[in-house]
Amino acid sequence: MERMTLQGFEGCFGPLVVGIDTAVGGLAGYIPVKGTRTHSRAMSVYSHASKAREWVKRSKKLMAWALTADERKATYIGTLRLDQKGLACHCVCPACGGTLQAVNAGKLPNEIIEGENLRPHFRHDNGQQKDACLIKMSQIVALQLLLREKTIVLPEHTRNFTSKGASGQIYTGTASRPSVSVPISAIHWVDEHEAKITLPDGRVVWLRLYGSPARGNAASGDAIITIKVDDPEVANWSQDKILEHVQLTGEWLCWDKHPDDDQLHEQAHQDADNQAKHWCDYLPEDLDLPEGLTPAQRSEGVLHWLIKGILGQAHSISTPGYEDTLRGWMPDNTYKTQKIYLHPAHYRISNVRMEQRLQRVIPDVICTVSLGAAPPMDLMVEVAVTHRVDDEKLLRIRELGIACLQIDTKRLSKGGRITIQELRSMVLHETDNKQWLFHPAIERSRNDAVQQLANKSIAIQRQLELQRARQHWIESLNDTQLLREYLMLLRQLWAGKDVQNSQGQAFSTQELIPTLEQRGFKRLDIEDVSGPKGLLWMLELIVRPNETIRAVDLFELAMSSGPVLQSYVTVLGTAIAEYGAFMTEQEEERMRAMRQTIKQSLHEGDLKYARMTHLDTALIALYPRLQKRLSSNKGTREQATKVRYEKQAQEREQRMLREQQAQIENEKERNHQQLQDGLNGVDAMYEWLPQSGGNHNLFAATELVNQKLQRNHPILSTAWRRILQSAWQARDAQMALSEWLKAQSPKTALDLSVRLELLQVALLIKRRHSLQLLVGRRGRPRL
């Protein structure tokens, strides 16, 4: 019969039989001839697709597969005809052996009676269906469907091996064979649980169901694949879905025994060992370590062994430099230093030997190294993992005189694991982890440094002894001898000669300075005094004339130089006068003009050419003829300062007199102006009072004033009685008040105010207005 698979039903109840035995992917693209039974059944499938979905929703664990009773062949419910329903299917359950019925076999959803809502399936004729029945059926179906194919996908196979490193770290090695699709040359069924297939290369692979007993001696075979299906739902799947899982995904196939298991085991073992070796954690068989070591101690032993192996195979090694400083206390109470230095290098290695005894020393490694064109030398290498070279062994190494390099691995204990490549780089190329325990070149450099420090000490000691002898000679000189010795050295220095003292010894002017200063001769070493074109240089040319340099030119040069030489220009003038320097008429005229300039400056108290006196004692000792003039205070800075102060004091006094006179004149002018303002405003502010009665006469007015005014009143200090009498007469004569006041000739506004107040008290005048006339300021009384 033709068969078609209904798209959307597959995986739920499998392909439905419609026609002859040909499978298609669904109804799409398959249109049976109109009017045929196939066409009508297909249309029914379309119309009743919703009922099929209801089947899937309500039906759970239903058996879609069974074994035929006679051939034990897996049969799918979708392949049965209508006449094979019920017990006519002749099928059994592979798990319990019970007879099965085919329910709704060959029917489509629209052909099932209402109420019978189960899709086509197998059910037990007697008893209940169990999960074990479904699982066993699923396994057998998977096995039989797998072997119906022409090829088989052998699943991937992996073997693991774990090993423990020297440090206790666990390393897991892996070896595997990939999944591969191969054709099947022959199949031999042992029973429905077990079969064996032959591959093209002649290998035999046993296929058996998981959990089933081995009946065909599968356990003794070279290759065994177990099919493990433990999901009851698989018994409901279609053939295509089961084949997809068993072949394409390989989820159910696993190797119980692989033909390459021994080889894979060895490869996994080797992989684990390689990992340990990669991390420097592999404990080699030829490394004999004591019993009872901790993992850390074993790891250190392995590192020590590996480093020696790296050195044994190396062709070169980088070595560090060395630098040190020796300090020596010198006789002059100072420190001197000397460097000890060895450059970093990259040695070529040859003739490597392990732990070869050299007298009382057994180095870890000894080899021959060479650098450039230098002759080869022996090199000992000590590997310090935890135990470093102690003082006793270091002493024996130094006694041998062979270079010894120590490689320190202490950073490995801090930085964790290290790979063999990193360890090799650390041992052969890094230099921070290495140090020289001994090197002949370093010892030679050290001995040279010690000798150089000793030589410096001897030289300094000799220099100190020489300096003490010279200082003793200097102190034996009196002041005049010391100054003349200094001047003699300066003459040689100015002439560009080798400077020697009077004893014929090489000498320096600076050697005399401390003693000169100690004896009070200060500032003799400044450039303007002792240098070329300094004061002493000029004096020497004046005292000992030179035809090329004229005295007047030296004098003029000093006047136009800096402040030091300008302050000593009078000394040069004194020397010119005392030592009679020859000058022409023109030079004498220039000299008089310059002297006049200096004289005028000193007369005005200017300090520019005033002589500083702190060199006078030294100059008199060197040039005795200058004593008389230099002993005088004339032209000194002290005298010029005194003149300046006197001049400044006189100027201040004259300025104060001028200011006082101006203040007096201003006060006079101000008082006069105030008096005139007061006189001009009297008639406007005051008027005479007429005689008030017979009793108001001059005598009564006089008594009234005398009674009202106190003794200390300002009016009482004037001739008030005479003034009052004059005013009484002026009023009677009808003289204007202002005219009378002017006739009184008041000197100040205060005089005017006093007279007006007197007349008011005597009732001779009164105010014209309420306003008051201000006739005085700064506290003077108002009227």
Side-chain angles (χ1 to χ4, degrees):
M1 293 182 62
E2 185 175 343
R3 186 180 67 177
M4 61 178 290
T5 301
L6 298 182
Q7 186 176 8
F9 287 32
E10 183 182 359
C12 300
F13 55 88
L16 300 179
V17 177
V18 286
I20 61 175
D21 196 15
T22 302
V24 295
L27 292 180
Y30 173 75
I31 304 176
V33 179
K34 188 174 183 180
T36 64
R37 186 172 183 273
T38 301
H39 177 268
S40 62
R41 288 175 63 84
M43 294 301 103
S44 297
V45 171
Y46 278 115
S47 62
H48 294 284
S50 60
K51 189 169 185 180
R53 286 193 294 271
E54 186 68 19
W55 283 354
V56 177
K57 181 178 179 181
R58 296 189 181 187
S59 302
K60 299 298 183 183
K61 297 179 181 179
L62 298 180
M63 186 180 292
W65 294 84
L67 290 183
T68 57
D70 49 357
E71 297 180 354
R72 306 294 290 183
K73 181 180 179 182
T75 301
Y76 183 55
I77 188 64
T79 62
L80 298 183
R81 304 182 300 275
L82 288 174
D83 59 355
Q84 290 178 309
K85 65 180 179 179
L87 295 177
C89 65
H90 303 293
C91 293
V92 297
C93 175
C96 63
T99 304
L100 299 178
Q101 297 179 8
V103 179
N104 292 331
K107 290 185 178 182
L108 292 176
N110 65 327
E111 296 175 338
I112 299 175
I113 300 174
E114 189 68 29
E116 294 181 4
N117 55 0
L118 295 178
R119 62 177 174 81
H121 65 282
F122 293 101
R123 72 181 175 192
H124 285 70
D125 186 39
N126 293 311
Q128 295 293 327
Q129 173 182 288
K130 300 179 180 179
D131 283 352
C133 300
L134 296 174
I135 291 175
K136 179 58 69 175
M137 189 66 247
S138 300
Q139 294 176 346
I140 293 175
V141 169
L143 177 59
Q144 291 191 14
L145 291 179
L146 175 62
L147 295 180
R148 290 180 189 177
E149 300 297 310
K150 300 298 182 181
T151 60
I152 183 172
V153 178
L154 299 179
E156 180 184 5
H157 184 55
T158 301
R159 290 296 302 270
N160 295 325
F161 184 89
T162 59
S163 64
K164 183 183 293 185
S167 64
Q169 176 75 29
I170 300 299
Y171 300 93
T172 301
T174 303
S176 63
R177 293 290 184 269
S179 174
V180 61
S181 178
V182 297
I184 299 175
S185 299
I187 301 174
H188 175 71
W189 283 97
V190 178
D191 55 24
E192 69 245 25
H193 302 88
E194 193 171 80
K196 63 180 179 178
I197 60 175
T198 304
L199 304 181
D201 58 3
R203 287 183 297 169
V204 175
V205 179
W206 290 80
L207 301 175
R208 52 190 301 268
L209 301 181
Y210 176 77
S212 62
R215 298 178 181 176
N217 297 322
S220 62
D222 293 334
I224 303 173
I225 295 178
T226 297
I227 300 176
K228 183 178 181 180
V229 184
D230 54 6
D231 187 357
E233 290 291 337
V234 177
N236 297 323
W237 290 2
S238 67
Q239 172 180 322
D240 293 341
K241 189 172 183 179
I242 292 174
L243 283 174
E244 178 184 353
H245 278 73
V246 77
Q247 281 278 51
L248 298 181
T249 64
E251 294 179 0
W252 297 340
L253 301 182
C254 62
W255 290 95
D256 274 0
K257 188 175 182 182
H258 195 281
D260 298 335
D261 270 344
D262 292 340
Q263 184 179 0
L264 291 174
H265 174 83
E266 186 62 30
Q267 291 176 357
H269 189 176
Q270 185 64 39
D271 183 39
D273 289 346
N274 289 339
Q275 292 181 42
K277 292 176 182 177
H278 175 74
W279 292 108
C280 303
D281 202 16
Y282 180 70
L283 188 61
E285 296 179 357
D286 54 349
L287 177 58
D288 186 15
L289 294 177
E291 296 291 337
L293 295 180
T294 65
Q297 291 171 333
R298 287 197 303 272
S299 181
E300 292 165 3
V302 170
L303 283 175
H304 191 276
W305 182 84
L306 286 173
I307 291 173
K308 290 196 295 184
I310 290 171
L311 291 171
Q313 299 175 358
H315 299 290
S316 63
I317 185 171
S318 295
T319 59
Y322 181 86
E323 185 175 356
D324 195 8
T325 301
L326 291 185
R327 301 178 67 189
W329 185 257
M330 298 292 109
D332 60 351
N333 294 328
T334 60
Y335 274 113
K336 296 295 183 182
T337 61
Q338 198 67 34
K339 291 287 187 181
I340 302 172
Y341 195 82
L342 179 68
H343 291 281
H346 192 74
Y347 286 99
R348 297 190 300 273
I349 297 178
S350 62
N351 193 22
V352 180
R353 292 94 73 193
M354 300 293 175
E355 298 186 351
Q356 177 180 329
R357 176 178 289 276
L358 299 173
Q359 298 181 17
R360 295 188 299 159
V361 178
I362 305 177
D364 291 331
V365 177
I366 183 170
C367 59
T368 302
V369 296
S370 57
L371 180 64
M377 71 173 185
D378 287 336
L379 173 66
M380 295 187 296
V381 181
E382 290 288 337
V383 179
V385 179
T386 54
H387 301 289
R388 290 162 180 79
V389 174
D390 56 21
D391 294 340
E392 182 180 355
K393 186 174 182 179
L394 179 59
L395 180 60
R396 294 198 297 269
I397 291 172
R398 297 177 67 88
E399 290 175 352
L400 286 175
I402 299 176
C404 184
L405 182 69
Q406 180 173 263
I407 301 176
D408 194 346
T409 61
K410 62 183 178 182
R411 76 177 176 91
L412 296 182
S413 60
K414 298 179 180 180
R417 299 197 298 170
I418 185 172
T419 66
I420 188 66
Q421 290 80 8
E422 292 171 339
L423 182 63
R424 182 176 292 105
S425 176
M426 186 190 75
V427 171
L428 300 180
H429 303 299
E430 295 182 16
T431 58
D432 292 343
N433 59 334
K434 302 184 182 80
Q435 68 176 117
W436 287 107
L437 299 180
F438 177 80
H439 196 292
I442 295 177
E443 290 306 302
R444 289 193 297 271
S445 178
R446 188 183 304 277
N447 294 335
D448 291 343
V450 171
Q451 186 60 47
Q452 290 181 26
L453 288 176
N455 293 339
K456 289 181 180 179
S457 178
I458 294 173
I460 291 175
Q461 181 64 36
R462 291 176 179 173
Q463 184 67 25
L464 288 176
E465 293 174 356
L466 178 61
Q467 288 177 356
R468 281 193 289 267
R470 294 160 77 96
Q471 186 64 31
H472 178 74
W473 172 77
I474 292 172
E475 292 175 356
S476 67
L477 302 175
N478 59 34
D479 291 352
T480 302
Q481 292 172 335
L482 184 62
L483 288 168
R484 289 178 178 175
E485 193 76 26
Y486 181 66
L487 183 58
M488 182 189 70
L489 297 177
L490 288 177
R491 292 192 195 107
Q492 299 176 55
L493 191 63
W494 297 333
K497 300 178 180 179
D498 294 335
V499 180
Q500 295 181 347
N501 64 357
S502 58
Q503 304 294 317
Q505 299 171 333
F507 224 79
S508 169
T509 57
Q510 292 299 316
E511 294 184 63
L512 300 179
I513 293 301
T515 305
L516 286 170
E517 291 185 347
Q518 184 180 1
R519 297 185 184 185
F521 304 111
K522 300 183 181 299
R523 301 190 67 190
L524 280 174
D525 59 333
I526 64 174
E527 187 67 16
D528 286 335
V529 174
S530 62
K533 298 186 179 180
L535 174 63
L536 295 178
W537 177 79
M538 292 181 177
L539 285 172
E540 282 295 298
L541 291 176
I542 293 172
V543 173
R544 296 173 177 81
N546 188 311
E547 295 182 357
T548 59
I549 301 178
R550 309 295 292 175
V552 66
D553 294 333
L554 294 174
F555 192 85
E556 186 176 16
L557 176 63
M559 286 187 66
S560 60
S561 297
V564 175
L565 283 176
Q566 287 177 342
S567 67
Y568 290 113
V569 69
T570 58
V571 176
L572 297 177
T574 298
I576 291 173
E578 287 294 331
Y579 288 92
F582 175 79
M583 286 185 284
T584 63
E585 292 183 0
Q586 292 82 2
E587 290 175 343
E588 289 179 353
E589 184 64 27
R590 286 171 54 198
M591 192 67 185
R592 281 193 295 270
M594 289 186 289
R595 285 180 181 273
Q596 184 61 34
T597 300
I598 295 172
K599 183 178 180 180
Q600 182 64 30
S601 174
L602 294 174
H603 179 73
E604 294 176 357
D606 192 357
L607 301 180
K608 182 177 182 180
Y609 301 114
R611 187 179 89 249
M612 293 187 290
T613 60
H614 65 276
L615 293 180
D616 286 358
T617 304
L619 293 176
I620 291 172
L622 293 173
Y623 308 101
R625 293 175 62 177
L626 302 180
Q627 181 175 5
K628 182 178 179 180
R629 292 178 181 266
L630 294 183
S631 299
S632 172
N633 196 35
K634 185 179 179 181
T636 63
R637 184 163 294 229
E638 180 181 0
Q639 184 188 33
T641 302
K642 182 179 178 180
V643 171
R644 169 179 286 189
Y645 286 162
E646 291 176 352
K647 185 177 181 180
Q648 290 176 349
Q650 185 178 4
E651 290 176 353
R652 284 196 302 270
E653 184 178 356
Q654 292 176 357
R655 186 172 58 254
M656 290 176 61
L657 290 174
R658 289 194 299 270
E659 290 175 355
Q660 291 175 359
Q661 186 65 32
Q663 186 177 1
I664 291 171
E665 294 297 328
N666 291 336
E667 187 67 23
K668 286 182 179 180
E669 180 66 23
R670 186 167 54 254
N671 288 335
H672 178 73
Q673 186 64 40
Q674 289 177 354
L675 178 61
Q676 293 301 318
D677 292 343
L679 291 173
N680 294 333
V682 166
D683 291 337
M685 296 295 297
Y686 295 94
E687 63 179 349
W688 295 109
L689 276 174
Q691 188 172 353
S692 59
N695 294 329
H696 186 65
N697 49 31
L698 178 60
F699 176 79
T702 302
E703 289 298 322
L704 181 62
V705 171
N706 192 38
Q707 293 175 4
K708 289 186 177 182
L709 298 183
Q710 299 178 359
R711 293 181 61 184
N712 60 349
H713 197 278
I715 295 178
L716 298 179
S717 63
T718 63
W720 62 275
R721 294 179 183 275
R722 181 179 56 78
I723 295 173
L724 186 60
Q725 182 179 4
S726 175
W728 189 275
Q729 293 173 357
R731 186 188 64 174
D732 289 346
Q734 297 183 353
M735 182 183 293
L737 179 60
S738 59
E739 292 296 327
W740 177 79
L741 286 172
K742 291 178 180 178
Q744 291 292 313
S745 301
K747 299 294 188 293
T748 65
L750 180 61
D751 291 345
L752 178 62
S753 176
V754 168
R755 283 169 172 73
L756 289 173
E757 186 177 0
L758 175 64
L759 297 181
Q760 281 183 293
V761 173
L763 300 178
L764 290 179
I765 63 174
K766 69 174 182 178
R767 297 179 185 276
R768 289 182 180 272
H769 305 288
S770 59
L771 296 177
Q772 295 183 352
L773 178 62
L774 181 63
V775 297
R777 296 180 183 178
R778 298 183 180 178
R780 290 182 174 83
R782 292 180 178 181
L783 299 180

